[in-house]
Amino acid sequence: MEVKVGIDTDDEDARVLTKSQDVYVKIIDDIYVFVPYQGGIENGGYFQVLFEGNQIQLYKKLEKKFTAAKKAKSTMLQDTPAKFTDKPEYYIVTRTGKFYVLPKSKNKKLKVFGSNKDMIKAYINENRLDLNDEKDLRGVIKYYDTVGSVSPQ
């Protein structure tokens, strides 16, 4: 994550944000926290906090994917410019700091809820929620946090 002193500051003057658990970033209503990886700061990263409950939290990390530019193979096609795309990864984080990555597919996401899978599935069906939609996922995690014994698998 890079930061600038002010909005008028040139992009070349942007600086890398310090990797420290003592630092968090608030951009309007979004909060980002630094989490070390395997006890080390070097491989850690900043995560967006989507939900903070009594028992669990929901974090999001945007993985940047770079696609190189491609020249058109014929005059009938257009060149494809280089681009970056964001791929979100969601994590359930327990109060003890254990991270559970949420898989991409709905059925695999449901397996993360372990013994509470059927209860969560019923809640999703009853409220017509989509686990692949971030707003709905946040609602499911909020519900999951309030139902009592929470222990993701």
Side-chain angles (χ1 to χ4, degrees):
M1 190 173 279
E2 293 183 346
V3 293
K4 298 191 298 184
V5 174
I7 197 160
D8 297 331
T9 307
D10 289 333
D11 288 344
E12 293 82 28
D13 294 329
R15 300 286 177 244
V16 175
L17 188 60
T18 304
K19 292 183 176 185
S20 170
Q21 289 180 283
D22 298 331
V23 175
Y24 72 93
V25 177
K26 184 172 183 181
I27 303 171
I28 304 174
D29 290 331
D30 296 334
I31 296 176
Y32 297 83
V33 296
F34 180 80
V35 178
Y37 180 70
Q38 294 182 344
I41 290 177
E42 296 78 33
N43 294 324
Y46 280 90
F47 291 78
Q48 182 180 358
V49 179
L50 298 178
F51 170 75
E52 237 178 331
N54 294 322
Q55 300 179 56
I56 59 171
Q57 299 172 26
L58 179 64
Y59 285 1
K60 176 171 88 170
K61 183 161 183 83
L62 290 176
E63 295 292 328
K64 297 281 186 187
K65 181 181 177 194
F66 176 72
T67 306
K70 292 182 183 176
K71 287 282 186 190
K73 293 185 179 187
S74 73
T75 56
M76 299 296 285
L77 301 172
Q78 293 182 350
D79 291 341
T80 305
K83 67 178 179 176
F84 283 99
T85 52
D86 288 331
K87 292 188 153 227
E89 254 187 357
Y90 298 96
Y91 296 85
I92 292 176
V93 184
T94 65
R95 283 290 166 201
T96 60
K98 187 155 173 103
F99 278 64
Y100 295 92
V101 65
L102 288 174
K104 303 282 185 231
S105 82
K106 179 182 174 182
N107 285 333
K108 289 182 181 176
K109 278 184 182 126
L110 284 170
K111 287 181 182 179
V112 171
F113 297 104
S115 61
N116 296 312
K117 174 185 170 185
D118 292 334
M119 176 187 61
I120 295 299
K121 189 173 183 178
Y123 178 78
I124 289 168
N125 292 336
E126 184 179 309
N127 293 287
R128 297 182 180 178
L129 301 174
D130 179 4
L131 276 179
N132 293 324
D133 178 71
E134 186 174 300
K135 182 181 168 199
D136 289 352
L137 176 62
R138 189 181 309 179
V140 170
I141 297 299
K142 186 175 183 178
Y143 170 74
Y144 183 56
D145 183 65
T146 61
V147 293
S149 96
V150 174
S151 57
Q153 298 291 315

